[in-house]
Amino acid sequence: MLPEGGLRIVALGGLGEIGRNMAVFEYDGRLLVVDCGVLFPEPDQPGVDLILPDFEYIRDRLDDVEAVVLTHAHEDHIGAVPYLLRERRNIPLIGSRLTLALIEAKLTEHRIQPTKVEVVEGERHTFGPFDCEFLAVNHSIPDALAVAIRTPAGIVLHTGDFRMDQLPSDGRLTDLGGFARLGTEGVDLLMSDSTNAEVPGFVTSEREIGPVIDEVIRTSEQRVIVASFASHVHRIQQVMDAAAKHRRKVALVGRSMVRNMGVARDLGYLKVPPDLIVDSRDIEEWPPKDVVLICTGSQGEPMAALSRMANRDHPIRIAEGDTVLLASSLVPGNETAVNKVINGLTRWGARVVHKGNAKVHVSGHAAAGELLYVLNLTRPSNFMPVHGEWRHLRAHAKLAALTGVPEDHIVIAEDGVVVDLVDGRAKIVGAVHAGYVYVDGSSVGEITDTSLKDRRILGDEGFISVVVVVDSNTGKLTAGPEIHARGSGIDPMQFDEFIPQIQRALEEKAADGVVDMQEIRRVVRRTVGRWVSDTYRRRPMIIPVVLEV
């Protein structure tokens, strides 16, 4: 039980992984959620579209949730909001103007009208027992916020995703003065972005990217195709500015890109010169040297526009002399998919410019020097690294120790671990289930790890089905076996030599008086599995079908 006057923190995602960020704060029986994002699947999760946090911990307490605070509008922080609101539609969403506008556009597709509370940096709002102060932070999307949560248990500063760009393209700096003021007041627990904790120094300024993009567009003799995150307003602004300077038209390709940039333009975050934008369907009417396309797919997503172009499965055809600019960082785990796209584009004659051969992207996350700066400004009594894989969390914890945070006041947790802040001390006190919830098409949570294991076996080894007909009274074989195989790599002619082995195994069981259909299926599966393993060193999925007469 949570001690009286204590504050409980449970991360349901974002610890030990990049994505699925969601933290639940509990005080006096009331809950506050910070962020609710998704994780994108890896190659060993075939067929999965998205991975959500598991809401089971709060499912029976949704009426206790005062609000969901959204630090910014990246998918790994807002992508799971529609699925949470399916369970209680009137949970207030708290965020900046752009964050709320982008989540509302997303929720419209889910036919959900949200309850919104717009906040700006410098404001304080109370939600139940939680007094929240919002501070500006610089990130790779406008309007990002940190949040200081005050309760009688103490002050928790959650930085959200941030960096300390001193020359941001939008002029909006991270509020270091606010961090220092909170440090003077006394930060009882600092929860800080760990993504770049292993990277020394400070992150390069966003402004240094503009001239590189300008040079790529200036020197390209044919079309320029820029792939970026659909939420990276700053990067899209730089591309549009360079395109306008060199008198090229711009077309947006991809539903999320069109939607997000439309919202950003309507709210004034994206400045679009007159007559710059043309419809992607009319792009072929313009000479290639007068065109810039901005699309999704910078992470090699199979269904995104850039991947489809690389596979010749898109109306826009890559041609000799085109330039493709990958204006984004590489999310861990996507290396193979991105390299495959680069090779596909190069095959059709495109020049591919990416972070590996040009300075076309800077990270939106603070490097070690910046993290040390924040630790020294806030001087937290307790520290909990968040938003990162295990190596990032460990590296950030070492930085905290260097600044003087006692080792026993540094909490390295993983998803589901329960951390209580009581009497000024943060400690791990238990754990709750916080597994993956898979979205596959229209199904949510129906796909299990067992299902994924079966899919991997089918994809790697194929399957063999064996149909037999047996007498329900005697268990004797009356017809078959009939064998079918797909993707197993086994010559079908070999089955003719193997069928007698199945027949003998079934005859032996019938002689022993076995008539149980489950046992007969097991005999077929074991017999086939042993033969395939001994003969071909393979382990396909074996599906015995036993019919009774």
Side-chain angles (χ1 to χ4, degrees):
M1 296 294 293
L2 175 62
E4 184 176 352
L7 176 68
R8 174 159 291 172
I9 304 105
V10 180
L12 298 183
L15 301 185
E17 60 193 1
I18 302 293
R20 223 168 53 111
N21 297 285
M22 183 176 181
V24 179
F25 296 80
E26 177 180 355
Y27 183 83
D28 195 23
R30 305 302 293 174
L31 305 177
L32 180 75
V33 176
V34 175
D35 290 328
C36 186
V38 297
L39 179 68
F40 293 101
E42 296 187 359
D44 64 346
Q45 295 161 330
V48 174
D49 299 317
L50 298 170
I51 304 172
L52 310 178
D54 189 345
F55 303 141
E56 189 61 32
Y57 172 63
I58 61 172
R59 183 162 281 120
D60 294 336
R61 302 186 59 191
L62 288 174
D63 289 339
D64 297 334
V65 177
E66 296 286 351
V68 176
V69 173
L70 303 172
T71 58
H72 63 283
H74 280 152
E75 285 295 303
D76 59 336
H77 292 258
I78 69 169
V81 169
Y83 301 93
L84 178 61
L85 294 192
R86 286 183 186 181
E87 307 205 18
R88 182 189 150 198
R89 289 181 172 246
N90 65 343
I91 300 177
L93 303 181
I94 318 301
S96 62
R97 187 182 182 203
L98 179 63
T99 300
L100 292 180
L102 291 178
I103 188 61
E104 185 172 23
K106 177 186 291 290
L107 289 170
T108 298
E109 298 179 2
H110 291 260
R111 300 178 181 178
I112 296 174
Q113 184 61 42
T115 302
K116 301 179 298 179
V117 178
E118 184 179 315
V119 298
V120 298
E121 56 264 28
E123 290 185 347
R124 286 175 67 166
H125 293 260
T126 299
F127 309 101
F130 305 99
D131 177 1
C132 297
E133 179 182 355
F134 299 93
L135 302 96
V137 292
N138 180 255
H139 188 41
S140 55
I141 187 172
D143 260 8
L145 296 169
V147 57
I149 304 170
R150 291 177 171 86
T151 67
I155 298 175
V156 177
L157 174 58
H158 192 304
T159 67
D161 290 1
F162 80 101
R163 63 184 174 190
M164 289 167 49
D165 189 343
Q166 300 304 297
L167 296 170
S169 55
D170 61 357
R172 188 171 179 270
L173 296 165
T174 293
D175 187 1
L176 299 180
F179 283 5
R181 173 176 49 77
L182 287 168
T184 300
E185 186 177 345
V187 173
D188 295 281
L189 175 64
L190 174 64
M191 300 172 67
S192 183
D193 176 10
S194 307
T195 309
N196 277 345
E198 293 182 309
V199 179
F202 285 65
V203 170
T204 304
S205 173
E206 188 78 34
R207 291 196 181 187
E208 295 191 21
I209 305 303
V212 180
I213 293 175
D214 184 272
E215 179 69 10
V216 169
I217 292 177
R218 184 186 69 81
T219 58
S220 298
E221 298 179 357
Q222 300 292 325
R223 288 181 305 185
V224 177
I225 301 169
V226 180
S228 175
F229 291 119
S231 57
H232 204 331
V233 179
H234 300 316
R235 186 74 73 249
I236 305 306
Q237 184 70 70
Q238 291 173 318
V239 173
M240 287 189 173
D241 290 344
K245 178 180 177 181
H246 299 291
R247 300 185 179 184
R248 288 180 180 247
K249 297 293 183 182
V250 172
L252 301 175
V253 182
R255 184 181 63 172
S256 58
M257 181 68 72
V258 172
R259 179 191 66 201
N260 288 358
M261 292 308 110
V263 170
R265 179 176 58 184
D266 292 343
L267 296 180
Y269 293 93
L270 185 68
K271 312 295 183 183
V272 182
D275 302 321
L276 179 69
I277 302 290
V278 297
D279 195 300
S280 61
R281 291 170 293 187
D282 302 328
I283 205 68
E284 298 296 338
E285 299 177 8
W286 295 87
K289 62 182 179 61
D290 295 337
V291 169
V292 173
L293 300 170
I294 303 176
C295 68
T296 55
S298 61
Q299 300 303 307
E301 304 96 316
M303 297 307 295
L306 192 66
S307 297
R308 293 174 58 201
M309 292 179 200
N311 294 329
R312 280 286 200 259
D313 184 30
H314 195 278
I316 296 172
R317 312 282 282 185
I318 298 295
E320 187 78 32
D322 285 346
T323 297
V324 178
L325 174 61
L326 299 180
S328 65
S329 60
L330 191 59
V331 174
N334 292 345
E335 295 86 354
T336 300
V338 172
N339 287 331
K340 183 179 178 181
V341 169
I342 292 174
N343 281 320
L345 296 167
T346 307
R347 175 186 179 187
W348 307 119
R351 174 173 72 112
V352 182
V353 181
H354 53 85
K355 190 179 179 183
N357 57 27
K359 183 169 283 190
V360 292
H361 181 74
V362 295
S363 176
H365 301 271
E370 297 159 82
L371 298 177
L372 284 169
Y373 205 102
V374 169
L375 282 159
N376 284 323
L377 278 177
T378 57
R379 301 190 300 278
S381 301
N382 300 274
F383 176 68
M384 179 176 170
V386 296
H387 196 291
E389 297 174 348
W390 272 104
R391 58 196 178 101
H392 306 132
L393 303 180
R394 293 282 186 189
H396 204 173
K398 289 181 180 178
L399 295 177
L402 290 174
T403 64
V405 181
E407 293 275 0
D408 58 349
H409 287 235
I410 297 173
V411 178
I412 303 179
E414 60 183 319
D415 295 341
V417 166
V418 179
V419 177
D420 284 356
L421 178 63
V422 180
D423 296 329
R425 183 75 180 274
K427 292 182 179 179
I428 293 174
V429 297
V432 300
H433 181 71
Y436 284 179
V437 175
Y438 300 107
V439 178
D440 183 357
S442 61
S443 72
V444 179
E446 296 176 15
I447 300 300
T448 63
D449 288 331
T450 301
S451 303
L452 291 180
K453 181 180 179 182
D454 289 344
R455 289 181 180 184
R456 288 192 291 269
I457 293 172
L458 286 168
D460 294 339
E461 304 283 354
F463 79 92
I464 298 173
S465 67
V466 185
V467 182
V468 297
V469 182
V470 299
D471 188 306
S472 59
N473 294 318
T474 64
K476 291 184 178 180
L477 184 68
T478 62
E482 186 176 312
I483 302 178
H484 303 274
R486 291 290 185 276
S488 63
I490 300 174
D491 183 357
M493 298 298 292
Q494 297 297 317
F495 291 134
D496 292 338
E497 301 177 8
F498 169 62
I499 283 175
Q501 294 184 36
I502 303 176
Q503 293 172 332
R504 284 196 299 271
L506 292 176
E507 288 171 359
E508 291 173 2
K509 286 295 177 182
D512 293 338
V514 174
V515 295
D516 179 65
M517 293 300 112
Q518 282 294 104
E519 179 61 24
I520 293 173
R521 290 189 188 95
R522 280 193 287 270
V523 170
V524 173
R525 184 182 289 111
R526 283 198 299 266
T527 305
V528 175
R530 188 181 306 114
W531 175 76
V532 173
S533 177
D534 293 345
T535 308
Y536 293 95
R537 297 292 187 268
R538 297 183 65 85
R539 297 175 63 87
M541 181 175 289
I542 299 169
I543 305 173
V545 180
V546 180
L547 305 177
E548 299 178 71
V549 295

